[in-house]
């Protein structure tokens, strides 16, 4: 059974919203440079693609209950990053824990766990390998575009004085709430 382009786009858009929200928060941080934004954009897009691909192939082997555990772990990681941002706002030492190389992988995986769940549920009955590859690449590209869009929006949000002044706190609080949503909903 193939998905319509409209259905695939809606699924891709919904999956990319986690990455979009995290990218806005990261983009509000003044220490994050263009190369970091590019790194996060590609990381988020790649892991959305990769996890959807894994989910599609493993969909027959795992049930939805098993997939709920990584969703909780992803929420915990995002909440911890939120706490780190708030702590950084208080300390304001000029170094940003978000731009360490391991954070590309940690956050990329965290925002992409739900792509594996979609692969389990929506793509598991597709038997054509090329169709699965095409669908999962599409999911990754939509996430890449949405992440770049989020960074562009954050660039303009930073110019609003209260947003720029309290960006670390605001971004940290948003990430904590986002992590809690992933854990409990």
């Amino acid at each position: 059974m193939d998905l319509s382009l409209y259905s695939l786009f809606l699924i891709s858009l919904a999956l990319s919203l986690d990455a979009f929200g995290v990218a806005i928060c990261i983009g509000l941080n003044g220490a994050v440079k263009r190369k970091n934004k590019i790194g996060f954009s590609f990381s988020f897009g790649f892991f959305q693609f990769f996890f959807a691909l894994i989910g599609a192939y493993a969909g027959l082997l795992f049930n939805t209950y098993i997939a709920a555990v990584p969703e909780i772990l992803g929420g915990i990681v995002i909440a911890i990053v939120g706490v780190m941002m708030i702590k950084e706002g208080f300390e304001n030492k000029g170094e940003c824990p978000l731009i360490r190389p391991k954070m590309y992988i940690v956050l990329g995986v965290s925002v992409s766990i739900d792509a594996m769940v979609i692969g389990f549920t929506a793509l598991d009955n597709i038997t054509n390998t090329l169709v699965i590859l095409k669908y999962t690449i599409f999911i990754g590209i939509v996430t890449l575009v949405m992440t770049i869009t989020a960074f562009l929006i954050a660039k303009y949000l930073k110019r609003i004085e209260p947003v720029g002044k309290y960006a670390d706190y605001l971004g940290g609080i948003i990430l904590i709430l986002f992590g809690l949503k992933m854990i409990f909903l």
Side-chain angles (χ1 to χ4, degrees):
M1 170 186 119
D2 287 351
L3 294 172
S4 70
L5 182 60
Y6 177 73
S7 297
L8 180 61
F9 179 72
L10 288 180
I11 289 170
S12 301
L13 195 59
L15 286 173
S16 70
L17 291 178
D18 291 359
F20 182 86
V22 172
I24 289 265
C25 296
I26 292 170
L28 289 174
N29 189 312
V32 177
K33 305 295 181 215
R34 177 180 287 195
K35 69 177 184 170
N36 305 118
K37 293 174 185 178
I38 292 169
F40 280 115
S41 297
F42 280 103
S43 172
F44 291 176
F46 171 76
F47 282 108
Q48 287 282 11
F49 150 75
F50 186 65
F51 280 17
L53 185 66
I54 290 172
Y57 284 116
L60 298 175
L61 303 176
F62 297 99
N63 63 34
T64 305
Y65 178 75
I66 292 172
V69 174
E71 183 78 14
I72 292 169
L73 292 176
I76 290 169
V77 169
I78 287 176
I80 289 170
V81 171
V83 170
M84 288 171 50
M85 283 183 75
I86 291 173
K87 182 180 173 224
E88 177 190 331
F90 282 120
E91 293 174 355
N92 200 10
K93 292 181 181 174
E95 69 178 53
C96 180
L98 290 176
I99 57 178
R100 293 187 184 131
K102 67 180 177 183
M103 292 307 286
Y104 295 117
I105 295 170
V106 169
L107 288 176
V109 168
S110 296
V111 300
S112 301
I113 295 295
D114 54 351
M116 190 179 301
V117 176
I118 291 298
F120 283 174
T121 58
L123 304 177
D124 66 334
N125 60 357
I126 299 171
T127 56
N128 185 330
T129 303
L130 289 178
V131 172
I132 290 172
L133 192 60
K134 179 175 75 170
Y135 286 1
T136 56
I137 287 172
F138 186 81
I139 289 169
I141 290 171
V142 168
T143 301
L144 174 72
V145 170
M146 288 294 288
T147 305
I148 291 168
T149 302
F151 283 129
L152 292 173
I153 290 170
K155 178 180 172 182
Y156 292 104
L157 285 177
K158 278 195 304 193
R159 293 181 182 167
I160 302 170
E161 186 176 335
V163 174
K165 186 175 180 182
Y166 299 105
D168 287 337
Y169 305 114
L170 180 63
I173 290 167
I174 290 170
L175 287 179
I176 290 169
L177 293 173
F178 199 67
L180 292 173
K181 179 199 89 68
M182 286 178 70
I183 294 167
F184 295 112
L185 296 178

